[in-house]
């Protein structure tokens, strides 16, 4: 007999039912998990109530029915949740955790399934003993309420989970089992380092591609942009080394691919483009701007700039990308490929630009497909 499931009978909330949150909730429900979604977009909740979560993957569409609630209804709920997957923007972390706290019992835990260094904010609200950090790599889009374009099948979805504090380690296997309903999951004993590794990739590819109004793949191939993307990531690598974060392989990379600080960014960027995203996949930042919403530009690039200053480092490329992103959000600048030169002006020294590697797509175990 196999081991008993640790998620059987759990009451789970997915707080944040955007594209990734809806995919996670749908996969959990399809796996038999008792899951409820809570979201701040009224039209989205209305659509989910009326038609279910609709997930399109290629030429297929799956409809999954789940209980769905507006934020304003959280105060009316009484039955606590055993686990909460927080899939909100990084800047929403603190208030969202405060919102759900009354629906936690003493053994509940919250998993921050987000970009950015959000785990500490969650722990500050509910305690480190109930906090699990997570890294997410799921490519998707949502432009219509209740309808998700899923660009990455389960074998192309990747998560890492880990505890901030030894007292929360018992929650990590449960969180991992939940997220294995969605994709590949790694458990780590150093979640903060792994989350910074994802931030390194994020500062290389999210806002940079959005500033050009291009897909991530097109941005990575746009003349002059590979150097900018690698420079932004390399600045974040320097911060990692100064702060004491360990360079860790992510997305199923082999150990030696994370060994060199000089080529780390190129390795993870190429791995992303080749194995995890479709050619037309837009960054979440660009999707936010298309919806006239604030993005996570501050939570990504200002984090690098702030820590750079703490350690006496310089991060001119991240500072410039931050500046341009905020100008676009304020309406002072229009996202366009013409902005490449504005980013390149921040390059102060030649950047080592390794040739793009050519690899075969990886299977679920992380090995090249034959």
């Amino acid at each position: 007999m196999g081991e008993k499931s640790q998620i059987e009978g759990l009451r789970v909330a997915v707080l944040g039912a955007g594209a990734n949150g809806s995919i996670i909730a749908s996969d959990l429900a399809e796996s038999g998990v008792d899951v409820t979604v809570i979201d701040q977009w009224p039209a989205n909740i209305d659509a989910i109530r009326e038609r279910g979560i609709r997930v399109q993957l290629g030429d297929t569409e799956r409809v999954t029915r789940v209980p769905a609630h507006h934020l304003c209804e959280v105060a009316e709920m009484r039955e606590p949740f055993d686990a909460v997957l927080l899939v909100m923007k990084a800047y929403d972390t603190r208030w969202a955790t405060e919102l759900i706290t009354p629906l936690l019992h003493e053994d509940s835990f919250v998993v921050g399934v987000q970009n950015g260094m959000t785990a500490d904010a969650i722990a500050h609200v509910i305690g480190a003993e109930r906090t699990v950090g997570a890294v997410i790599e799921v490519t998707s889009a949502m432009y219509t309420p209740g309808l998700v374009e899923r660009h990455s099948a389960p074998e192309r979805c990747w998560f890492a989970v880990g505890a901030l504090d030894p007292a929360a380690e018992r929650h990590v296997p449960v969180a991992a089992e939940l997220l294995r309903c969605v994709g590949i999951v790694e458990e780590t004993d150093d979640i903060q380092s792994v989350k910074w590794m994802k931030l390194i990739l994020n500062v290389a590819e999210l806002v940079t591609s959005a500033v050009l109004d291009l897909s991530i793949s097109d941005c990575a191939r746009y003349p002059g942009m590979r150097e900018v993307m690698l420079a932004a990531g390399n600045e974040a690598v320097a911060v990692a080394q100064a702060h004491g974060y360990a360079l860790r392989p992510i997305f199923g990379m082999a150990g030696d691919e994370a060994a060199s600080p000089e080529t780390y960014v190129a390795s993870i960027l190429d791995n992303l483009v080749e194995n995890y995203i479709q050619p037309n996949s837009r960054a979440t930042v660009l999707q936010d701007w298309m919806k006239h919403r604030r993005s996570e530009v501050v939570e990504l690039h200002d984090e690098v700039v702030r820590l750079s200053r703490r350690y006496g480092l310089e991060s001119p490329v991240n500072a410039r990308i931050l500046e341009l992103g905020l100008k676009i959000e304020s309406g002072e600048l229009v996202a366009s490929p013409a902005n490449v030169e504005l980013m390149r002006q921040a390059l102060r020294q030649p950047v080592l630009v390794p040739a793009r590697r050519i690899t075969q797509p990886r299977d679920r175990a992380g090995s090249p497909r034959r």
Side-chain angles (χ1 to χ4, degrees):
M1 296 178 62
E3 294 184 6
K4 182 179 178 180
S5 170
Q6 299 181 85
I7 63 176
E8 184 177 345
L10 285 186
R11 289 196 76 240
V12 178
V14 174
L15 181 51
N20 287 345
S22 289
I23 288 171
I24 290 170
S26 176
D27 283 1
L28 288 174
E30 294 289 340
S31 299
V33 177
D34 178 2
V35 60
T36 297
V37 299
I38 303 168
D39 196 47
Q40 60 185 326
W41 186 11
N44 190 38
I45 291 299
D46 292 344
I48 292 172
R49 284 174 170 172
E50 182 178 348
R51 295 181 291 274
I53 298 175
R54 299 161 58 202
V55 178
Q56 294 178 341
L57 177 60
D59 297 329
T60 67
E61 179 175 305
R62 185 182 71 190
V63 178
T64 306
R65 296 281 181 175
V66 297
H69 295 275
H70 299 282
L71 290 182
C72 62
E73 296 174 320
V74 171
E76 302 170 8
M77 297 178 176
R78 294 294 180 266
E79 189 176 356
F81 294 101
D82 301 303
V84 176
L85 304 182
L86 183 58
V87 200
M88 305 280 279
K89 295 296 181 184
Y91 52 73
D92 288 326
T93 301
R94 186 175 297 274
W95 71 257
T97 307
E98 293 276 11
L99 176 78
I100 206 66
T101 296
L103 292 174
L104 303 178
H105 53 71
E106 64 179 17
D107 202 37
S108 303
F109 62 94
V110 175
V111 189
V113 192
Q114 305 162 282
N115 287 328
M117 304 302 289
T118 60
D120 283 334
I122 297 171
H124 186 265
V125 176
I126 62 169
E129 72 280 2
R130 296 199 290 181
T131 301
V132 176
V135 177
I136 176 173
E137 180 54 45
V138 176
T139 310
S140 60
M142 176 181 273
Y143 304 107
T144 302
L147 177 62
V148 183
E149 298 174 13
R150 182 171 187 166
H151 299 159
S152 49
E155 63 270 17
R156 293 290 172 266
C157 297
W158 185 90
F159 302 88
V161 293
L164 296 186
D165 187 274
E169 288 177 357
R170 61 198 175 89
H171 298 307
V172 172
V174 185
E177 187 174 349
L178 286 169
L179 291 173
R180 285 193 182 101
C181 297
V182 187
I184 300 166
V185 181
E186 295 183 17
E187 298 178 34
T188 177
D189 59 0
D190 187 4
I191 188 60
Q192 294 289 61
S193 287
V194 178
K195 283 187 72 65
W196 191 269
M197 297 307 101
K198 178 65 187 301
L199 186 141
I200 289 171
L201 175 62
N202 285 161
V203 298
E205 48 106 11
L206 291 185
V207 185
T208 51
S209 60
V211 166
L212 298 190
D213 193 24
L214 294 175
S215 72
I216 296 170
S217 292
D218 286 345
C219 178
R221 297 181 174 92
Y222 197 85
M225 274 307 297
R226 184 170 169 84
E227 188 176 14
V228 172
M229 297 170 86
L230 296 186
N234 286 341
E235 289 174 359
V237 168
V239 170
Q241 294 177 303
H243 189 71
Y245 292 130
L247 290 184
R248 302 284 294 260
I250 58 175
F251 304 166
M253 294 165 59
D256 58 353
E257 293 178 289
S260 172
E262 290 77 17
T263 58
Y264 183 84
V265 182
S267 294
I268 58 173
L269 180 61
D270 290 345
N271 191 15
L272 176 82
V273 172
E274 294 163 12
N275 296 312
Y276 287 92
I277 61 173
Q278 293 183 353
N280 63 339
S281 294
R282 296 186 179 103
T284 178
V285 172
L286 183 53
Q287 293 182 47
D288 288 334
W289 291 350
M290 292 171 67
K291 299 171 187 173
H292 307 288
R293 295 178 179 175
R294 179 158 58 103
S295 75
E296 295 170 319
V297 58
V298 171
E299 287 69 26
L300 298 173
H301 294 277
D302 191 58
E303 189 76 7
V304 176
V305 173
R306 182 180 62 83
L307 284 183
S308 291
R309 290 173 182 153
R310 177 190 295 183
Y311 296 110
L313 303 172
E314 293 187 343
S315 52
V317 177
N318 277 277
R320 176 58 57 84
I321 295 168
L322 172 65
E323 174 191 358
L324 296 178
L326 292 177
K327 283 185 175 181
I328 290 173
E329 293 197 349
S330 69
E332 299 178 58
L333 185 69
V334 175
S336 163
N339 296 329
V340 64
E341 289 307 317
L342 295 176
M343 285 187 276
R344 287 187 57 81
Q345 289 169 7
L347 295 171
R348 296 183 182 174
Q349 57 187 11
V351 177
L352 174 65
V353 184
R356 294 186 183 89
R357 60 181 185 151
I358 300 175
T359 62
Q360 297 175 338
R362 298 180 184 275
D363 61 20
R364 289 184 64 90
S367 301
R369 284 187 171 179
R370 302 297 181 188

